[in-house]
Amino acid sequence: MKEFSELREAVREKLTEMRVAGVDPFFVAINEAVNNAIFHGNKQDETKKVQLTITNWPGEVRVIIRDEGQGFATAEAKQEEGLQESGRGIEIIRHCVDQYYFSSEPSEMVLIKKVASSPMRPESEIIEKGRLANAN
C-alpha cells in the first residue's frame, strides 16, 4: 500500500499524458482496484506483490491490476450478501470506467477507458513495488 501511495502521482501523470478524458474518475477506479488487490487479493500480506500495468491502445487505455491472491466471488454472490461496510468497490469501479473484467487465473482486474486519440503502437508502463518502468 505504501508503494502505491508514493506512485499515485506518477500514475495520474501517465494517464494525463495518454490523453485520458475524465482522469479523476478513472484514477478513482484504479485506486479502488489496487486497494482490493492489496486487502482482498493479497490479504495484506507484505510478501505478496500487486502489479499495475498501463497500456495505451488505439482509442483506449487499459489498466491491469494483478495480485497473488485466489480471485474473488462474482458480483452475483456479493449481491446475495447485501451491502456491508466493504464490498462497494466493484460498484464504484463500474461507474468510473467504460468497461472492466476480472479473472481468477491469473488473479487480475482489467479496467478500460476510452481516449480521444492514442498512438498506433501499444505502449505499456508497469508499476510494481515502488517503481515505474517502461515495458517496451
Side-chain angles (χ1 to χ4, degrees):
M1 182 75 162
K2 179 183 173 207
E3 289 86 0
F4 185 64
S5 297
E6 295 168 359
L7 289 172
R8 280 189 172 108
E9 195 54 39
V11 170
R12 187 184 301 271
E13 286 174 15
K14 181 51 70 177
L15 294 174
T16 301
E17 184 181 303
M18 292 176 164
R19 298 183 201 110
V20 175
V23 167
D24 290 335
F26 194 40
F27 185 75
V28 166
I30 294 167
N31 193 59
E32 190 62 40
V34 168
N35 285 338
N36 285 347
I38 292 168
F39 291 102
H40 302 293
N42 289 349
K43 309 281 190 224
Q44 297 184 28
D45 182 342
E46 292 187 14
T47 65
K48 293 184 177 182
K49 295 180 182 178
V50 172
Q51 181 179 351
L52 187 150
T53 305
I54 302 172
T55 305
N56 194 2
W57 289 93
E60 68 184 31
V61 171
R62 289 179 181 236
V63 175
I64 302 168
I65 297 96
R66 182 177 290 172
D67 61 54
E68 296 181 22
Q70 300 300 311
F72 55 93
T74 62
E76 292 81 18
K78 290 287 185 190
Q79 286 177 351
E80 290 176 12
E81 296 172 15
L83 287 178
Q84 299 169 5
E85 183 63 29
S86 64
R88 292 181 280 250
I90 300 299
E91 192 62 28
I92 291 168
I93 290 169
R94 179 187 333 263
H95 290 288
C96 295
V97 301
D98 293 315
Q99 186 179 359
Y100 73 95
Y101 60 92
F102 51 90
S103 67
S104 295
E105 296 286 328
S107 181
E108 67 183 19
M109 175 170 256
V110 179
L111 309 176
I112 302 170
K113 185 73 174 168
K114 302 298 180 192
V115 294
S117 64
S118 59
M120 293 304 293
R121 184 175 65 82
E123 296 180 13
S124 297
E125 298 287 340
I126 297 175
I127 299 172
E128 179 181 346
K129 273 292 198 189
R131 65 183 178 85
L132 175 65
N134 283 324
N136 292 342

